[in-house]
Amino acid sequence: MSDTGSETEDWAARLNAAPLPYAKYLGIEILSATPDRIEGHLPVRQELCTMPDILHGGAIMSFADTLGAMGAFLNLAPGAATTTLESKTNFLAAVPLGQVAKGVTVPVHKGRKLTVWETRIYREDGKLAALVTQSQIVL
């Protein structure tokens, strides 16, 4: 698969249009997508916050899991499926209400039966808010 700009836009549009009710509820928007990099945004709204008005850790993990799963999906052979096998999150800084969190996912390992993804979640000021590593099994 080549990495052209139009293909990136096409994958992002297809992922945004996919029937993913939880990702849509969270408000995740895919900005760009290739088999080697997924970028997305998550607006921090009240329903996703804990006290005192910061993005809940579970929402951060959900955002990262969604991006990593999309990366794994883009690398699947026809007819294959994937699911998260393991996930580890380091929380480094709070993301306040009203900001938009940015997630960037890249592969660490792309094997035949297992892929490993690293997702970095950033605040609007560019500070790293979370580092997530997840393993996706190929079914």
Side-chain angles (χ1 to χ4, degrees):
M1 179 178 293
S2 65
D3 188 63
T4 65
S6 62
E7 187 169 296
T8 297
E9 293 168 14
D10 184 48
W11 274 117
R14 289 163 75 181
L15 290 171
N16 283 322
L20 302 168
Y22 186 60
K24 289 187 186 323
Y25 170 77
L26 290 173
I28 295 171
E29 177 189 3
I30 302 306
L31 303 174
S32 64
T34 69
D36 291 316
R37 186 179 175 95
I38 309 289
E39 290 187 25
H41 276 174
L42 175 63
V44 182
R45 59 185 203 277
Q46 189 68 56
E47 298 86 355
L48 302 179
C49 285
T50 187
M51 298 304 279
D53 291 337
I54 58 172
L55 186 60
H56 190 283
I60 290 173
M61 294 171 70
S62 291
F63 181 31
D65 183 68
T66 298
L67 296 179
M70 287 176 172
F73 170 77
L74 292 182
N75 286 276
L76 290 175
T82 185
T83 192
T84 304
L85 184 63
E86 181 272 340
S87 185
K88 157 89 169 79
T89 304
N90 290 97
F91 298 104
L92 306 169
V95 185
L97 175 65
Q99 286 198 9
V100 176
K102 179 181 180 181
V104 178
T105 299
V106 296
V108 174
H109 170 76
K110 293 196 290 186
R112 193 172 52 83
K113 289 290 186 182
L114 182 75
T115 60
V116 179
W117 298 86
E118 179 183 89
T119 302
R120 292 174 179 258
I121 307 294
Y122 297 95
R123 302 185 327 181
E124 286 183 2
D125 64 3
K127 185 169 184 170
L128 185 62
L131 178 64
V132 181
T133 305
Q134 75 186 80
S135 301
Q136 292 281 140
I137 191 164
V138 177
L139 305 172

